[in-house]
Amino acid sequence: MSGEHMQIGEVATRTELSLRTIRHYEDTGLVTPSARSQGGFRLYTESDVARLMVVRRMKPLGFTLDEMRALLEATDRLDTGEELPPEEHEELLDRIRGFEQAAQQRVEDLRTQLAQAEEFAATLAERLTWTPAS
């Protein structure tokens, strides 16, 4: 096999996604293998891996499959290489800006949750070493 295409196992290793998850993303239309081998095996390109990485990064931030699809559609449209009408180009960029702002907010929310969890863990650790005065 050429270096251009990878089988699903290699993609799973590179993306740290399970085979099942990759197949699920295919079933939901988020990623489509670029080709199939003569034996019917899914074959992926670097572009497919990059697409899966976008999905993988959005998942822990709580984005829905529909939101993932909307972002990918916007980036796909911008990446076609064709000249877009200025209004459409700006609308696509606005959509991506919206996702960037949402991601930043979700990251900040996770930082707050992490700080609270660390504070709680420290309180428990303190409690374990605390001895009542006799």
Side-chain angles (χ1 to χ4, degrees):
M1 176 172 17
S2 75
E4 289 182 28
H5 289 98
M6 296 162 267
Q7 289 188 359
I8 194 170
E10 182 179 347
V11 173
T13 300
R14 292 195 43 204
T15 60
E16 298 178 344
L17 294 169
S18 69
L19 301 177
R20 182 177 176 193
T21 298
I22 294 169
R23 289 183 188 114
H24 172 69
Y25 290 152
E26 179 184 353
D27 291 342
T28 59
L30 291 175
V31 68
T32 303
S34 292
R36 294 265 181 178
S37 70
Q38 287 183 344
F41 294 105
R42 295 166 175 86
L43 298 175
Y44 298 87
T45 63
E46 288 297 331
S47 178
D48 299 327
V49 170
R51 190 175 181 88
L52 281 165
M53 291 303 293
V54 168
V55 172
R56 188 183 131 216
R57 290 176 179 127
M58 291 180 81
K59 180 83 171 123
L61 294 177
F63 287 99
T64 66
L65 292 176
D66 287 338
E67 290 170 321
M68 293 174 193
R69 191 174 296 105
L71 176 61
L72 290 168
E73 286 170 359
T75 57
D76 287 349
R77 185 75 177 119
L78 287 170
D79 292 345
T80 61
E82 68 182 73
E83 190 167 330
L84 302 173
E87 309 82 36
E88 181 182 1
H89 187 263
E90 193 55 40
E91 187 276 324
L92 292 168
L93 291 177
D94 282 346
R95 190 182 314 172
I96 293 170
R97 282 185 201 101
F99 279 106
E100 190 271 335
Q101 290 169 353
Q104 290 294 345
Q105 183 59 56
R106 291 172 189 201
V107 166
E108 190 56 40
D109 293 346
L110 286 170
R111 284 189 179 117
T112 299
Q113 285 182 319
L114 179 59
Q116 292 170 348
E118 288 173 334
E119 183 180 311
F120 176 63
T123 301
L124 291 174
E126 226 176 81
R127 178 71 176 154
L128 290 172
T129 60
W130 177 77
T131 55
S134 318

